[in-house]
Amino acid sequence: MIITSLEKYKGSTYEVTVDKQKIYLHKDIILDFGIKVSKEISEEKLEEILEASEKRRAFERAMYLLDYRDYSYRELFGKLSESYEEDICFYVLNKLAGLGFIDDRRYARNLARKYVEVKKYGFYRASNEMRRKGLSRDIVDEALSEYDEKIHDILTELIMKKYYDSLEDRDKLRKMKNALVRQGYSFDEINTVIRELEVCDDE
């Protein structure tokens, strides 16, 4: 096969015609493979060029996504696999992990801080939210274990700040408990704090 034309297309992308087939390549790929008009290439070399181009595009897409927020390995794989083949996704993700751009443990620690310290979620909801981000149970449990000795105080603070007016009213107290369960706390955790606050509770 012969490269019959090489023309600038958009930005750093060039339109390359190989026989009658048009392909679009970044200038770095052009330079890496020494692509030029009249050069003869084999089918195997063309496949290699196209694969390198796909890897580059997938890597750029991943970096674009990571500019906005962190992703877990599994979560970012899901995003990339919408547009790229599985082997391309694994190549890019392993490269990103090696460079430190994705790190599930770091991501889990940041999410745990967000959900427990900022949003005041209990462990159950925080864990579910983190698992939905593609993190494994072991990594989630490890990140949340840092709050084992703090969760009681966090729940106490939440009740005092948000539900103080509910503490002496049985109907409001029941609604408060249901709201806190939805937020990820267990009834045992909630009742322990309520007993410590010595409020009226008929349950």
Side-chain angles (χ1 to χ4, degrees), residues 66 69-77 93-94 96-98 100-112 130-131 133-144 146:
L66 288 167
R69 68 172 180 87
D70 268 342
Y71 283 82
S72 68
Y73 188 104
R74 187 184 301 174
E75 189 182 21
L76 191 53
F77 182 93
L93 288 166
N94 290 336
L96 289 169
F101 287 109
I102 52 174
D103 182 330
D104 279 4
R105 282 187 165 80
R106 181 186 65 213
Y107 185 36
R109 288 193 298 271
N110 290 338
L111 285 178
M130 292 167 74
R131 293 293 302 280
K133 298 290 187 181
L135 295 166
S136 70
R137 184 177 296 279
D138 287 345
I139 288 179
V140 168
D141 290 346
E142 178 185 308
L144 290 176
E146 296 182 20

Side-chain angles (χ1 to χ4, degrees), residues 3-61:
I3 297 172
T4 55
S5 71
L6 172 61
E7 299 178 0
K8 192 163 186 179
Y9 181 64
K10 290 180 182 178
S12 299
T13 302
Y14 284 75
E15 180 185 85
V16 181
T17 305
V18 183
D19 288 343
K20 294 182 179 181
Q21 178 183 357
K22 292 186 183 297
I23 58 176
Y24 297 87
L25 304 173
H26 190 273
K27 66 178 182 180
D28 290 347
I29 300 294
I30 302 287
L31 292 172
D32 289 345
F33 286 90
I35 294 171
K36 58 185 178 181
V37 175
S38 299
K39 182 174 183 177
E40 186 175 350
I41 59 173
S42 64
E43 280 192 32
E44 291 77 11
K45 180 57 69 173
L46 179 59
E47 288 179 7
E48 184 183 343
I49 291 169
L50 293 175
E51 181 179 347
S53 180
E54 280 293 277
K55 286 178 178 178
R56 193 184 193 288
R57 288 194 186 99
F59 187 84
E60 286 185 336
R61 173 62 178 164

Side-chain angles (χ1 to χ4, degrees), residues 82-96:
E82 294 172 3
S83 305
Y84 301 97
E85 296 294 328
E86 188 176 272
D87 59 337
I88 299 290
C89 296
F90 280 125
Y91 169 84
V92 170
L93 288 166
N94 290 336
K95 184 175 180 179
L96 289 169

Side-chain angles (χ1 to χ4, degrees), residues 174-186:
R174 191 173 295 107
K175 291 178 181 178
M176 178 197 77
K177 286 185 179 183
N178 290 334
L180 291 172
V181 167
R182 289 193 296 273
Q183 196 145 340
Y185 296 96
S186 69

